[in-house]
Amino acid sequence: MTNLPENNKANLQAALLALTLDRSGQVPMHVQLAEALRDLIRRGVAPSGAALPASRALAKDLGISRVTTLGAYDQLVAEGYLDTRQGAGTFVAADLPPMEESRPDPVSATPPIGAQPLVPFHPGLPDTEHFPHAQWAKHLEAVWRRPDPDLLAQPDPLGWPPLRAAIADHLNAWRGLSCSAGQVVITSGSVEAFSLLSRLMDQGDTVLTEAPCYGPMLQAFRGRGLACRSVPVDAQGLQTDALPTAKAVAVTPSRNYPLGMTLPLSRRLALLDWAKAQDALVIEDDYDSEFRFSGPPLPALASLSADRVIYVGSFSKLMMPALRLAYLVVPDRLVAKVTALLQPMGSQASVLPQPALARFVEAGEFATHLRRMRRIYGQRRLALMKALADHLPNHLIPQDVASGMHLICDLGPALAGLRDVDVAAIGQKAGLSLRALSRYPEAPEDLQGVVMGYAAFEEGALVGAVKTLAQALSASEK
């Protein structure tokens, strides 16, 4: 045991009890806890040789799961901040040099992105208040209290097999996509998924994208040296009548990103005919199609072709961004190649949440959550549209697309003389988060409108935010 003076022990215990973790933030809880403990060590509050509480005790004190404390402890042991002693516990590493002098000035330090407040109408973020946290915690606890030996071994580069099987079953039921667990590849997010797909092609190959399109995807492709060429969209989505030669095309057929239209069957078939003639791949980004408010979700494009389409899905918008899990469904003929690409370094996706997520999906709780959120998001969408009609009827004209997590609003006659970037700037000054359509990557020069996210905000907050925006726009007209 440590010989630290009693007052030092008391100070450390008080500092540990005072730790605060942001349960609704985008940074995973174990990462937040590791950073907080690292900070205590650097400042000398937890000096060399100090004994830390047992992981179970600290979890109880902070009201978090033991898996979170174990993850933080393991990270700091790996970094050399902590030591573990068989039968004795966990201690701050002995003989650590003073580190306080090297810390940056907290006043001048740039705050992390995750610390920024969430304000209406930030798009693309799900509601986390209605997530079944208690059920999720039970799955984490059940998995890691007595983990399957395979979880502690070298992980499968394609992901935890039971999760891959659960995803395949979910896609069959919700997206009409018949696939096997062997075709599913787990990634750390959609950006890694797109980066992995870019490695299936050679530098200089051409990839077609929609105009506008998803920025991180475009960056991932360009970062691998691919030539990206945008293709116009119209009221029916990607224009497929004269597609140029390319190795692949990336498309959002169920709900165009960000404009929201659905690619009709005739264009889907034309796109697949083009891909077959070109011997090209179709990359289907299916980012939030589960949230369709009238009727069941539409079948995925991949359901029409098991050989040409690579399906990309993510749990960030369906559950929470902090989960950092996405997946690919690749044709059988490409499984060996994808495995070879992942084998040398392994998957970047954390294994910690994967078995819990598999249980969550298998138990039907994921489907229940999706149905609940589809109802809630539908109500929020209607509330936002009514508020716009009541308070900004001639300013912002919402497009009535009954799906997704955001509205696209055209600029009305009352905003004559203003561009969408001007409206977004006025909203930002009023403490709101509007996105100008013209600022999306590859957007045509004449594209105007604003994106208003509603999924993460209660109905009352949305109505209040519309009133605030109405006041700000009115003040700008004087």
Side-chain angles (χ1 to χ4, degrees):
M1 295 295 292
T2 179
N3 294 319
L4 291 173
E6 289 301 320
N7 62 328
N8 284 356
K9 294 180 184 178
N11 290 339
L12 174 57
Q13 182 64 22
L16 291 171
L17 291 174
L19 292 179
T20 58
L21 304 175
D22 183 5
R23 287 167 170 76
S24 63
Q26 298 185 25
V27 180
M29 295 280 282
H30 72 280
V31 175
Q32 295 183 49
L33 179 57
E35 178 57 32
L37 295 174
R38 195 183 292 112
D39 180 67
L40 294 181
I41 295 171
R42 287 171 172 170
R43 292 192 288 114
V45 178
S48 294
L52 294 184
S55 59
R56 193 182 305 276
L58 183 58
K60 182 178 180 180
D61 288 341
L62 298 179
I64 58 179
S65 72
R66 189 184 178 207
V67 172
T68 297
T69 56
L70 285 172
Y73 278 8
D74 288 347
Q75 179 62 34
L76 295 181
V77 168
E79 295 178 10
Y81 285 94
L82 300 181
D83 287 329
T84 57
R85 304 175 193 171
Q86 185 68 32
T90 303
F91 299 82
V92 178
D95 302 322
L96 283 176
M99 290 177 282
E100 175 66 20
E101 294 78 2
S102 63
R103 287 179 54 79
D105 180 3
V107 175
S108 61
T110 301
I113 294 176
Q116 300 300 313
L118 178 62
V119 297
F121 301 92
H122 197 296
L125 294 179
D127 174 285
T128 55
E129 290 296 321
H130 290 83
F131 183 78
H133 296 286
Q135 293 171 310
W136 177 250
K138 288 179 182 178
H139 289 308
L140 283 171
E141 178 72 13
V143 167
W144 290 105
R145 181 181 291 275
R146 292 185 179 180
D148 186 310
D150 289 340
L151 280 173
L152 307 179
Q154 185 71 21
D156 188 323
L158 301 187
W160 180 238
L163 175 57
R164 296 162 61 200
I167 290 173
D169 290 342
H170 168 77
L171 292 175
N172 181 61
W174 278 72
R175 308 297 294 115
L177 176 52
S178 178
C179 62
S180 68
Q183 295 175 259
V184 179
V185 181
I186 308 299
T187 70
S188 62
S190 59
V191 173
E192 186 199 350
F194 292 126
S195 179
L196 177 61
L197 293 179
S198 71
R199 296 165 63 191
L200 294 174
M201 293 168 272
D202 297 325
Q203 289 191 3
D205 282 347
T206 298
V207 178
L208 306 181
T209 67
E210 297 166 312
C213 67
Y214 183 50
M217 175 197 69
L218 196 64
Q219 293 172 7
F221 289 162
R222 288 176 173 168
R224 289 289 301 173
L226 300 179
C228 296
R229 180 174 176 181
S230 62
V231 177
V233 301
D234 56 24
Q236 292 186 311
L238 185 78
Q239 297 182 15
T240 57
D241 52 348
L243 292 175
T245 300
K247 280 289 185 179
V249 57
V251 64
T252 50
S254 294
R255 177 171 159 81
N256 174 272
Y257 183 85
L259 300 177
M261 72 283 287
T262 298
L263 195 68
L265 178 61
S266 58
R267 291 196 181 185
R268 295 182 183 214
L269 295 175
L271 183 61
L272 295 176
D273 287 343
W274 170 88
K276 182 177 181 180
Q278 295 277 326
D279 192 21
L281 291 172
V282 177
I283 300 169
E284 178 180 11
D285 181 8
D286 200 32
Y287 63 100
D288 72 356
S289 62
E290 283 86 351
F291 301 130
R292 180 177 172 84
F293 309 130
S294 59
L298 298 174
L301 173 63
S303 67
L304 299 175
S305 174
D307 189 53
R308 289 289 163 193
V309 182
I310 298 179
Y311 182 93
V312 182
S314 173
F315 292 99
S316 293
K317 290 181 174 61
L318 306 183
M319 293 175 61
M320 61 186 108
L323 192 60
R324 303 305 304 155
L325 288 179
Y327 58 91
L328 300 169
V329 179
V330 299
D332 282 323
R333 63 187 177 89
L334 294 177
V335 171
K337 187 171 184 178
V338 170
T339 303
L341 290 173
L342 286 171
Q343 196 76 52
M345 298 184 63
S347 173
Q348 297 180 30
S350 172
V351 177
L352 278 174
Q354 291 188 43
L357 180 55
R359 291 168 58 99
F360 188 66
V361 176
E362 290 165 356
E365 294 163 3
F366 179 53
T368 299
H369 174 64
L370 289 180
R371 286 192 288 268
R372 181 189 303 117
M373 299 318 299
R374 185 164 62 182
R375 173 178 54 81
I376 291 173
Y377 292 170
Q379 293 170 347
R380 292 178 179 179
R381 168 183 164 272
L382 292 176
L384 177 55
M385 293 183 67
K386 183 178 185 304
L388 290 170
D390 290 344
H391 303 287
L392 290 169
N394 298 312
H395 294 74
L396 296 176
I397 317 296
Q399 299 179 9
D400 191 7
V401 179
S403 62
M405 300 167 68
H406 66 255
L407 280 181
I408 297 294
C409 293
D410 298 323
L411 304 187
L415 294 177
L418 292 180
R419 295 183 61 79
D420 57 4
V421 291
D422 303 319
V423 177
I426 292 170
Q428 183 176 8
K429 289 181 181 179
L432 305 173
S433 178
L434 281 75
R435 299 285 178 86
L437 274 179
S438 63
R439 289 295 177 86
Y440 277 73
E442 304 300 300
E445 293 182 1
D446 59 347
L447 183 63
Q448 290 288 296
V450 294
V451 179
M452 305 181 75
Y454 53 78
F457 308 100
E458 297 286 350
E459 292 176 32
L462 292 169
V463 174
V466 170
K467 292 179 180 179
T468 298
L469 180 60
Q471 293 172 356
L473 290 171
S474 177
S476 71
E477 295 170 357
K478 297 179 181 177

